[in-house]
Amino acid sequence: MLCLDMVGAYDHVSHARLLHILKCKGCPDWLLKWVESMLCGRTTTINLNGWFSRTFSIKAGVPQGGSLSSILFILYNAELVEICTNPLLRTSSLAFVDDLNILVYSSSTAENCRRLERAHEKCQEWARRHGAKFSPEKYELIHFTRSRRTDLHKAVRIEGETCPPKAEVRVLGVQVDPKLLWRPHINSVKKKVTGQMRSLTAITGSTWGTCFAWARRIYTAVVRPTMTYAAPVWYATTSTGKGKKWMQRELAKIQNEGLRRVLGAYRATSIPVLENEAQVPPIELVLDKTVLDHQRRQQGTTGQQTVENFCRRIRNNLQRRQRQRPNTLERPNHQPGQGENTWRTLQEKWKQKWESYRRAHVDGPPATADLKAKEILKMRSQLPRRETTMATLVRSECIGLRAFLHKRRVPGFDNPACDCGGGRQTAKHTIMFCTKWDRAALFEGAGSQDYRKMVSTARGIRAITRWMISCGILEQFNLYRYQ
């Protein structure tokens, strides 16, 4: 695949040529006049520290950032895409605005390079007719194969410039590697998310910063879309379970770290508990939903039919070569039915996974209680940052008390017992039984003395968090002790 670079794509659009193309594609006269009036008669000036140059007339190009500029340019270079696509010559192209990628395939990389050079000659002819210009020194070449016998060092030579193959290239925001294993893309995602996590940390501490609702919104609206971008390309095409599990494992690490920042949880907190407390589905289910949504949108389209026809031909060829029975090479991916609600499917799978975890932890922390999503979110919606963190520590029972610290083998905590001598120093013992603390205000604020009810309602958890902070039970919150 050869990735082309076009110099000043928008600035070199010929108005006359563009109007001619629109007319050839059947656009009505009123639309042609409207486009012409938008493009013609434009002027610009240069401003340098308050000094203004004379007015310049703009006789070519479409406005940068204009609402219609991308559409007009797609129509302008439509012929370029067409001349680079020829199934008989095993040549196809992928273009988005000014990004053009030419894909060829054959039995050798040397033959592919020759075909790419011939395809580029056609591109140069188009550029001369349309006033466009390419920059060969910025081209990128990559060979796709999983064979160890293939020579991956063959280069293309265009206009005196040698373009050697690369180990990875960026195509519309996706890092592509020769074996299509997508490891470079996952590594690139991890680098991007690392910076976003730093920004989230800068505004969200364990006892200060933005509240739970906004921290969760930032994660789901900024961080998670970065991880799932173009998932139908790199996740759906990974047919082996081993490859998908590797991707899920790497992305799950990122999500778990993000949920700890959102909730203020300790590293030892169980992952299913983190997901349920934040009401954020497991990343593998989000990826599956993204792929299913894409497949549902593509059903019945010309592109989907073309892909299915090629897949059918490939399966038939493999079956003839390997002499296998029919349907043994069918794709295992689930195809969504017409009108299928993928969000409901995700919720059902997540519920099954959560119920399986609850059954395995019958005597688990209060966070494993059977609560609806709205109840969990309502419980945290009115809590400031410090109380959100305290609520997480209490409900998960991963809290800085003797029982937990002894279990994690923290130096200096050889005994899990409370100083009062009444048993192990857990969150429940401290809130309900420890004789060191006065609980009159706690029970009055919670409106109940039932521990499970107190930690499962908005009123109860708010009373607990305020009481524990005001008593100074954890030094982590001493700065915010209520007077």
Side-chain angles (χ1 to χ4, degrees):
M1 182 175 68
L2 182 64
C3 304
L4 276 60
D5 181 78
M6 194 176 297
V7 180
Y10 281 14
D11 296 335
H12 290 84
V13 173
S14 171
H15 295 167
R17 175 67 68 174
L18 175 59
L19 294 173
H20 174 73
I21 292 173
L22 294 177
K23 184 177 181 179
C24 293
K25 291 188 176 295
C27 294
D29 292 339
W30 65 266
L31 180 59
L32 296 177
K33 294 179 180 179
W34 183 77
V35 174
E36 182 179 10
S37 65
M38 183 190 72
L39 296 177
C40 299
R42 293 188 298 126
T43 59
T44 186
T45 58
I46 299 175
N47 180 3
L48 293 175
N49 294 328
W51 175 85
F52 291 88
S53 68
R54 63 181 179 86
T55 302
F56 297 91
S57 298
I58 301 178
K59 300 181 180 180
V62 292
Q64 291 282 351
S67 302
L68 295 177
S69 297
S70 299
I71 299 175
L72 293 176
F73 190 82
I74 289 174
L75 296 172
Y76 186 73
N77 71 343
E79 182 186 351
L80 178 63
V81 178
E82 294 171 358
I83 63 177
C84 293
T85 302
N86 191 335
L88 298 178
L89 299 178
R90 296 183 174 182
T91 304
S92 60
S93 61
L94 170 67
F96 181 76
V97 192
D98 58 340
D99 292 328
L100 178 66
N101 307 282
I102 305 175
L103 180 68
V104 300
Y105 60 98
S106 67
S107 58
S108 68
T109 54
E111 177 62 23
N112 286 342
C113 290
R114 286 193 291 269
R115 293 183 180 182
L116 287 172
E117 291 171 357
R118 289 197 293 268
H120 188 267
E121 292 176 358
K122 297 180 180 179
C123 294
Q124 290 288 36
E125 295 177 2
W126 175 89
R128 283 191 289 270
R129 287 186 284 108
H130 289 73
K133 184 179 180 182
F134 292 101
S135 180
E137 64 273 9
K138 296 182 180 179
Y139 287 2
E140 292 183 322
L141 173 68
I142 187 171
H143 298 299
F144 296 117
T145 182
R146 294 187 179 180
S147 174
R148 297 182 179 180
R149 300 178 181 178
T150 304
D151 184 9
L152 298 179
H153 301 288
K154 291 293 183 180
V156 295
R157 188 168 181 81
I158 297 173
E159 297 183 357
E161 296 284 345
T162 301
C163 182
K166 293 188 175 183
E168 60 181 85
V169 297
R170 182 182 178 89
V171 180
L172 299 180
V174 178
Q175 297 294 134
V176 184
D177 60 285
K179 295 185 178 182
L180 295 181
L181 297 177
W182 310 108
R183 287 183 180 271
H185 179 70
I186 299 298
N187 293 333
S188 175
V189 169
K190 291 166 66 176
K191 291 181 181 179
K192 291 180 183 177
V193 174
T194 299
Q196 295 174 346
M197 285 294 187
R198 292 197 190 102
S199 301
L200 183 59
T201 303
I203 62 173
T204 307
S206 62
T207 60
W208 57 269
T210 186
C211 64
F212 163 78
W214 278 104
R216 178 178 179 270
R217 186 174 301 179
I218 291 172
Y219 174 79
T220 56
V222 179
V223 180
R224 191 172 67 184
T226 302
M227 293 192 289
T228 59
Y229 173 75
V233 175
W234 53 264
Y235 186 73
T237 55
T238 307
S239 57
T240 61
K242 184 177 179 181
K244 283 192 173 182
K245 287 182 179 179
W246 171 80
M247 293 180 179
Q248 294 169 0
R249 185 170 60 253
E250 293 298 318
L251 296 180
K253 293 178 183 178
I254 301 174
Q255 171 156 297
N256 298 339
E257 182 64 24
L259 296 184
R260 291 190 190 99
R261 305 280 177 86
V262 171
L263 292 168
Y266 290 172
R267 182 176 292 274
T269 307
S270 173
I271 295 173
V273 170
L274 285 174
E275 296 166 345
N276 191 63
E277 287 294 291
Q279 281 300 294
V280 174
I283 192 64
E284 62 269 19
L285 298 184
V286 176
L287 291 170
D288 290 339
K289 177 184 179 299
T290 305
V291 173
L292 289 176
D293 286 339
H294 172 76
Q295 292 175 350
R296 185 178 61 178
R297 290 194 298 268
Q298 294 298 315
Q299 282 183 343
T301 62
T302 303
Q304 181 69 14
Q305 293 174 359
T306 303
V307 171
E308 290 178 354
N309 291 337
F310 274 99
C311 290
R312 191 179 299 109
R313 290 170 54 184
I314 294 172
R315 285 197 296 269
N316 293 338
N317 291 336
L318 290 175
Q319 288 169 358
R320 285 196 296 267
R321 292 180 183 179
Q322 300 177 8
R323 297 181 181 180
Q324 295 181 345
R325 293 178 298 176
N327 299 327
T328 57
L329 296 175
E330 292 291 334
R331 289 189 65 179
N333 291 349
H334 168 68
Q335 297 292 328
Q338 194 70 22
E340 178 181 343
N341 190 327
T342 55
W343 174 250
R344 186 177 302 170
T345 302
L346 178 145
Q347 291 289 342
E348 291 175 354
K349 290 183 178 180
W350 185 18
K351 183 177 180 180
Q352 294 173 2
K353 187 175 181 179
W354 175 242
E355 290 298 328
S356 176
Y357 176 83
R358 290 184 62 225
R359 288 193 297 268
H361 299 79
V362 179
D363 299 327
T368 58
D370 187 13
L371 295 178
K372 296 182 179 179
K374 291 183 179 180
E375 295 175 349
I376 296 175
L377 295 177
K378 181 181 178 181
M379 191 188 308
R380 297 175 177 274
S381 61
Q382 302 298 326
L383 297 179
R385 186 64 210 172
R386 54 186 176 275
E387 294 180 8
T388 293
T389 299
M390 180 64 80
T392 301
L393 302 182
V394 171
R395 284 179 51 79
S396 65
E397 291 187 352
C398 293
I399 187 171
L401 299 175
R402 287 183 176 274
F404 172 75
L405 299 177
H406 173 74
K407 181 180 178 181
R408 302 302 300 178
R409 300 181 180 180
V410 177
F413 293 90
D414 300 328
N415 187 356
C418 181
D419 293 337
C420 70
R424 299 172 70 250
Q425 191 187 34
T426 61
K428 182 176 182 179
H429 168 81
T430 303
I431 296 170
M432 301 299 297
F433 307 112
C434 185
T435 58
K436 295 174 57 178
W437 313 107
D438 180 18
R439 298 177 181 79
L442 168 62
F443 293 145
E444 181 181 354
S448 173
Q449 296 187 22
D450 183 350
Y451 179 70
R452 285 285 175 176
K453 184 178 180 180
M454 291 169 64
V455 297
S456 301
T457 60
R459 179 180 177 182
I461 199 67
R462 187 175 183 85
I464 288 175
T465 56
R466 286 190 169 187
W467 178 79
M468 292 192 70
I469 294 175
S470 64
C471 291
I473 295 175
L474 296 180
E475 295 184 2
Q476 178 181 355
F477 301 89
N478 279 353
L479 184 63
Y480 302 95
R481 291 183 64 176
Y482 301 129
Q483 301 299 326

